Amino acid sequence: QNMALYKSAEEVLTQVTTYKSSVKKSLFASKFKNPKQLAALVMETLKYKVILEEILEQTKLLKQSKGVSHNLALFLLYDFLIGKGIQCGGKLKKFVSSRKSMLNSAFARMKIRKKVAKNEDLIETKHPLLPKYLRVNTLTTTFKKMVVALEKDGYSQVDINENEIELKQFSVDPDISNLLVFNPKTDLHAHQLYKNGSLIFQDKASCLSAFVLDPAPHTHVIDACAAPGNKTSHLAAIMNNTGKLFAVDRDRDRVKIMERQLQKANVQNCEIINSDFMKLNPTDPKFQKVECILVDPSCSGSGIVSRDLENQKDTNAERVVYSTCSIHQEENEDVVKSALKQNPFFKLLEVMPAWTNRGIKMVNYETQKCIRCDPAVNCTNGFFVALFLHNTVSQ
Ligand SMILES: C[S@@+](CC[C@H](N)C(=O)[O-])C[C@H]1O[C@@H](n2cnc3c(N)ncnc32)[C@H](O)[C@@H]1O
């Protein structure tokens, strides 16, 4: 009895760790008869996940288990060591109780090592700090001038792992041009180079969208969900203020912020359009030369991409980037799949082949051509980027 509790918790965690859903959504979708009990077990176990993983590793528990998965073992360990005790009988209870002393002593050793008396003190509340990324705005300065200015100010350029950068040091990002990496505690908000628009705070993940779209100089580009304009000014920098940028956003307040930001960044090739992108008329003559579109919506629940791409039957769009700051498959690969289904005249192009963290492969769809970012793996915020190319365009 109550074996179903652990099995349901295992299902929830598997959904979450394979990026299929969020904790809340998969708890909600679970059919387990006592949702409160399930939620409590899942949430409590997640709090201790890091140390439970350590115990799993040290005791090599999974090597001795038949039919107990990694995720299931986490819940059993939580309940046995920290929670209410194992809440079921049968195989699972036996699995744990026959290893009682080994587990208890591994847990005791860990507490001594970490110098904690209470279980609560084992909870990892601190997320690892991400490095601070600043993009050099080539519309107001050059990369060389920026390096000289920073060095003059006591910063030294280093060539080390992004996690090891100290205060007053910076490195050049190996993937994205004109991106500098600083220690997480660096604060340049009061610095002249930030105030005059030469340095723009922009996480590496967020720089990937414009970098991947990579519009050639003189092209016409739509940034469909543009405010507050970080990617817009990045696009303008890549195009060196040539061609034409349409920065669209439906939120008036955010558009106002964008106006200021674009001015500060010396963006000169941009027309701001305060509108729902879906309501734009794709046959409007002013969009006829549009070749590239960047879609960076706050939430893809609206299925915005599929319809965006459909709209493009009437324009000349060749390259479309879809990016999100979500790690969930339903907002990423699932959206890409349905966009491709509805728009067979677009195909996926491989984004940054050397990037190892790829999109989740889906049957019949090459979603591994997309890329993902993960705080733990890539030292950036969570992110997803897909690049679509019109079939008629050669790569
Ligand atoms: C993630 S933010 C964009 C961030 C921006 N690309 C940047 O890098 O600074 C999403 C934006 O999409 C806008 N948005 C969402 N749906 C939209 C739609 N249908 N038409 C226009 N803007 C939309 C929101 O108002 C919000 O400002």
Side-chain angles (χ1 to χ4, degrees):
Q1 79 287 34
N2 239 348
M3 193 103 99
L5 168 68
Y6 292 107
K7 285 285 176 194
S8 306
E10 180 191 14
E11 271 164 32
V12 168
L13 189 54
T14 305
Q15 289 280 316
V16 176
T17 49
T18 54
Y19 299 120
K20 292 210 170 77
S21 188
S22 64
V23 180
K24 264 195 193 156
K25 278 190 188 159
S26 44
L27 277 173
F28 191 72
S30 172
K31 296 201 169 60
F32 185 65
K33 61 180 191 314
N34 187 342
K36 268 196 181 159
Q37 188 188 19
L38 177 63
L41 176 63
V42 170
M43 301 312 277
E44 284 303 306
T45 303
L46 284 176
K47 279 194 207 160
Y48 290 92
K49 188 163 174 278
V50 176
I51 66 121
L52 294 171
E53 304 257 13
E54 257 179 76
I55 292 184
L56 260 190
E57 172 82 29
Q58 276 162 20
T59 56
K60 308 260 179 288
L61 192 64
L62 287 175
K63 290 224 167 93
Q64 317 155 21
S65 69
K66 271 192 221 108
V68 177
S69 72
H70 176 99
N71 287 348
L72 180 56
L74 291 178
F75 293 110
L76 295 172
L77 277 185
Y78 169 77
D79 256 354
F80 176 68
L81 295 171
I82 302 162
K84 297 187 161 104
I86 298 295
Q87 303 181 59
C88 70
K91 260 195 332 207
L92 292 184
K93 180 155 189 143
K94 213 167 151 201
F95 173 71
V96 177
S97 52
S98 61
R99 294 168 176 85
K100 221 164 148 177
S101 49
M102 170 184 80
L103 293 173
N104 278 329
S105 59
F107 191 48
R109 276 200 308 274
M110 164 176 288
K111 280 168 130 177
I112 293 169
R113 209 173 48 244
K114 296 198 188 266
K115 301 191 177 70
V116 301
K118 286 187 292 183
N119 290 344
E120 296 88 82
D121 297 334
L122 286 167
I123 299 174
E124 288 279 345
T125 46
K126 280 185 283 169
H127 291 291
L129 284 178
L130 297 176
K132 201 146 272 177
Y133 291 95
L134 282 119
R135 180 164 61 77
V136 178
N137 180 15
T138 52
L139 298 177
T140 59
T141 185
T142 65
F143 187 76
K144 266 192 182 161
K145 278 188 191 161
M146 177 57 70
V147 170
V148 171
L150 285 168
E151 284 177 345
K152 233 181 179 176
D153 207 31
Y155 286 85
S156 51
Q157 188 177 336
V158 289
D159 187 13
I160 50 176
N161 193 311
E162 61 266 73
N163 290 320
E164 293 160 7
I165 298 170
E166 292 179 8
L167 281 169
K168 285 276 171 183
Q169 291 186 334
F170 68 94
S171 74
V172 178
D173 186 81
D175 299 306
I176 310 274
S177 349
N178 298 315
L179 189 65
L180 300 178
V181 196
F182 290 80
N183 179 282
K185 295 201 175 119
T186 307
D187 185 1
L188 287 163
H189 279 97
H191 202 286
Q192 189 53 25
L193 293 170
Y194 166 74
K195 285 189 177 165
N196 71 15
S198 300
L199 276 178
I200 295 174
F201 282 92
Q202 192 169 356
D203 184 64
K204 177 171 177 176
S206 152
C207 292
L208 288 167
S209 318
F211 177 78
V212 166
L213 189 63
D214 194 22
H218 307 289
T219 36
H220 286 206
V221 181
I222 295 179
D223 187 351
C225 297
N230 278 331
K231 298 186 186 74
T232 318
S233 65
H234 193 190
L235 288 167
I238 292 170
M239 295 155 76
N240 202 12
N241 261 339
T242 65
K244 183 90 198 172
L245 248 174
F246 298 98
V248 185
D249 204 285
R250 66 179 176 196
D251 185 312
R252 244 186 91 200
D253 295 334
R254 288 173 67 97
V255 162
K256 279 194 190 137
I257 298 170
M258 173 158 69
E259 274 166 3
R260 285 201 299 274
Q261 297 291 85
L262 296 186
Q263 201 171 20
K264 182 177 169 190
N266 188 29
V267 172
Q268 288 170 4
N269 60 345
C270 181
E271 176 182 335
I272 294 178
I273 303 175
N274 182 194
S275 160
D276 185 331
F277 175 66
M278 310 306 287
K279 294 196 177 131
L280 295 185
N281 175 7
T283 58
D284 187 329
K286 78 172 170 190
F287 300 131
Q288 288 319 293
K289 286 196 193 155
V290 169
E291 286 175 30
C292 301
I293 301 183
L294 196 154
V295 188
D296 184 47
S298 19
C299 162
S300 49
S302 57
I304 189 168
V305 173
S306 332
R307 285 203 276 150
D308 289 347
L309 291 177
E310 224 156 61
N311 281 348
Q312 297 321 311
K313 283 173 189 157
D314 302 322
T315 65
N316 302 320
E318 296 176 349
R319 285 164 81 82
V320 178
V321 159
Y322 171 67
S323 60
T324 73
C325 52
S326 163
I327 54 164
H328 302 304
Q329 182 181 325
E330 57 184 333
E331 297 197 290
N332 297 328
E333 290 86 352
D334 287 355
V335 173
V336 168
K337 179 177 155 180
S338 80
L340 287 168
K341 244 188 200 166
Q342 292 176 48
N343 305 282
F345 43 88
F346 275 96
K347 63 183 176 219
L348 281 176
L349 209 65
E350 184 157 45
V351 176
M352 301 170 78
W355 192 266
T356 46
N357 193 0
R358 311 299 309 181
I360 298 166
K361 168 95 185 89
M362 303 191 83
V363 184
N364 295 331
Y365 293 90
E366 298 176 304
T367 34
Q368 75 284 3
K369 288 187 170 174
C370 310
I371 54 169
R372 278 174 165 272
C373 292
D374 205 300
V377 186
N378 305 103
C379 290
T380 67
N381 286 313
F383 210 70
F384 175 86
V385 186
L387 172 61
F388 298 90
L389 194 73
H390 199 281
N391 272 336
T392 53
V393 185
S394 58
Q395 295 176 22

